[in-house]
Amino acid sequence: MPKIKVLKVTDLSTLKIIEIYVKKIISMLNLREGIIILLDFTNFQPTFSLQSTLSSLENNEFQKIKKQLRRDQYLITRYIIKKVVESLYDIPIPKIRIVRKDNKLLIITDKGTLDNFFLSTSYSYNYAVIFLGKRFKVGVDMEKIKP
């Protein structure tokens, strides 16, 4: 049975705080085979922009998103994933692209696809979730249940 940890992130107010969470994610991922990060956007008020961290392909996908909350979720989940990859594999963010192919998210760098690092994301209401896995494929889906 793989070792997986869940981390809930409730404060996304500044890049500095997000960077602290990224360090925690990396240390947790080094001890485990996977981590699920639950991001709570309930009180999120953006004070920074991350659009410059997107590749042109990601930016095209981003431009199709209409709702501001979903746009914020897209940017922050991608940023966190890229910061983790940058730290673990020593690849600068501008050289990291997250692309969807055959209904899967892949991380592509200038050296090719990261075959031993898997990810999945899901968005629902005020929440986003990221599932990162080492050595095994992962999948996550989240939805708000309405009574």
Side-chain angles (χ1 to χ4, degrees):
M1 180 85 172
K3 291 183 185 178
I4 299 170
K5 180 73 176 169
V6 176
L7 173 67
K8 184 175 182 183
V9 178
T10 56
D11 186 354
L12 298 163
S13 58
T14 68
L15 279 178
K16 186 172 186 162
I17 291 170
I18 292 172
E19 298 284 338
I20 291 168
Y21 277 113
V22 166
K23 288 179 183 173
K24 188 171 186 172
I25 291 164
I26 291 164
S27 67
M28 293 169 80
L29 195 54
N30 283 333
L31 299 173
R32 291 166 183 80
E33 294 173 340
I35 183 168
I36 297 172
I37 306 116
L38 177 63
L39 305 169
D40 184 346
F41 285 81
T42 302
N43 298 313
F44 182 67
Q45 298 293 323
T47 59
F48 50 87
S49 175
L50 296 170
Q51 194 170 349
S52 63
T53 64
L54 298 177
S55 69
S56 60
L57 190 64
E58 291 168 315
N59 197 44
N60 289 342
E61 191 174 326
F62 174 74
Q63 294 302 325
K64 295 175 186 173
I65 301 170
K66 303 292 183 226
K67 293 183 179 180
Q68 187 58 49
L69 173 63
R70 180 65 180 85
R71 290 169 70 93
D72 294 336
Q73 292 170 330
Y74 182 91
L75 288 172
I76 289 181
T77 56
R78 295 254 175 328
Y79 181 74
I80 289 172
I81 293 165
K82 288 180 179 190
K83 288 300 288 182
V84 169
V85 170
E86 177 183 57
S87 296
L88 290 176
Y89 296 95
D90 196 31
I91 300 168
I93 284 181
K95 302 219 181 244
I96 302 167
R97 296 186 323 272
I98 301 170
V99 298
R100 184 169 299 281
K101 183 177 180 187
D102 298 329
N103 222 12
K104 294 180 215 154
L105 288 176
L106 302 173
I107 298 175
I108 299 178
T109 71
D110 58 342
K111 298 174 184 170
T113 304
L114 293 181
D115 293 327
N116 59 343
F117 191 81
F118 303 95
L119 68 133
S120 180
T121 59
S122 184
Y123 310 92
S124 180
Y125 189 58
N126 285 338
Y127 295 93
V129 66
I130 305 168
F131 193 170
L132 303 175
K134 298 188 304 187
R135 298 185 299 274
F136 63 92
K137 294 178 182 174
V138 298
V140 64
D141 187 26
M142 174 178 55
E143 62 182 79
K144 181 179 180 180
I145 299 174
K146 298 177 185 176

